[in-house]
Amino acid sequence: MSAVGERLTDALYGLGWSAVKKLPEPVAAGLGRRIADTAWKRRGTGVLRLEANLARVVPDASPARLAELSKAGMRSYMRYWMESFRLPAWSVERVKDAVEIKDLHHLTEGLAAGKGVVLALPHLANWDLAGVWSTRALGVPFTTVAERLKPESLYDRFVAYRESLGMEVVPHTGGAAFGTLARRLRAGGLVCLVADRDLSASGVEVTFFGETARMPAGPAMLAQQTGALLLPATLWYDGTSVMKGRVHPPVDVPPTGTRREKATVMTQALADVFAAGIADHPEDWHMLQRLWLADLDPAKGPEA
């Protein structure tokens, strides 16, 4: 992206954070739907990639059904942004009313045990809202990582935004980030990671909807190294103003194998839980990028 493009991107996000949170909630929701529908009608790269990804998730879907799903998917994606822009202005009661989580005992009991918990999620619904619900409704702070964004000022906006919501944000800088997360877990803390896409050389290859994809080894490696509980979680919208979610049973560390072999087994178990949640709510999976290895163009990189 050019310097001018980076400044424009930063300015647009800044406008969203400053302006959208001041709108009445019905107005913001309606604006989000209009933006989503406009983007969907333009059939840009993101929409086409979303449809291609959904074709793996719903292989029997007709072209008309895929178009319907991608339109709903863009609306879900814009709901994520409209909610996220407005979260700093939400009261504790508003946050509590906005989320319902099933089987929460897996998380609360894991934290009570004092060994730390790694909560791994896919790009479903609104993971930022789930994070605010954890810090404000449950009173449970947590640590997460943030990928470096360009321009740097945009990255700084995201970090400041998430920290204002009670999250500790660690830059995604390889070993340094891993060490910080490990220390938080050994102290009995909570680490939350969005974990359904990793195209780096350290990613673990998994079977995902029948094809090979790569997902981060970090959640499994952290659980192995620290003894923390590894919990998958999924989120979804159901047509109401309340986001739903579920904390799934823990993924155990295999008794035998090398660290990498154990991580591969555990990451595949995460992928299986993610796939089930995505299949149940495909319109809420915000994956507008390439994911499966068969789709990658080595000459152009993962975003082509």
Side-chain angles (χ1 to χ4, degrees), residues 48-57 197 199 208 211-214 285 287-304:
L48 295 178
R49 174 47 47 195
L50 177 61
E51 284 189 8
N53 291 338
L54 289 171
R56 258 78 169 230
V57 176
R197 184 177 186 266
L199 302 180
F208 195 54
E211 295 189 44
T212 302
R214 197 174 288 141
W285 189 40
M287 187 56 67
L288 281 70
Q289 299 169 306
R290 297 176 187 268
L291 174 68
W292 283 273
L293 300 192
D295 290 338
L296 302 184
D297 184 343
K300 296 181 179 180
E303 303 308 323

Side-chain angles (χ1 to χ4, degrees), residues 91-114:
S91 67
V92 173
E93 289 305 314
R94 177 68 184 88
V95 172
K96 288 180 178 179
D97 292 341
V99 180
E100 291 180 5
I101 303 295
K102 299 179 180 180
D103 297 329
L104 186 62
H105 65 93
H106 292 302
L107 175 59
T108 55
E109 291 171 4
L111 290 171

Side-chain angles (χ1 to χ4, degrees), residues 79 83 90 93-105 125-126 129-130 133-134 137-138 233-238 240-247 281:
R79 176 173 171 176
E83 287 178 343
W90 282 13
E93 289 305 314
R94 177 68 184 88
V95 172
K96 288 180 178 179
D97 292 341
V99 180
E100 291 180 5
I101 303 295
K102 299 179 180 180
D103 297 329
L104 186 62
H105 65 93
N126 192 336
L129 173 55
W133 184 82
S134 174
L138 289 184
T234 52
L235 305 168
W236 66 91
Y237 296 126
D238 66 353
T240 71
S241 61
V242 179
M243 183 180 72
K244 303 300 196 301
R246 182 185 299 277
V247 179
H281 305 279

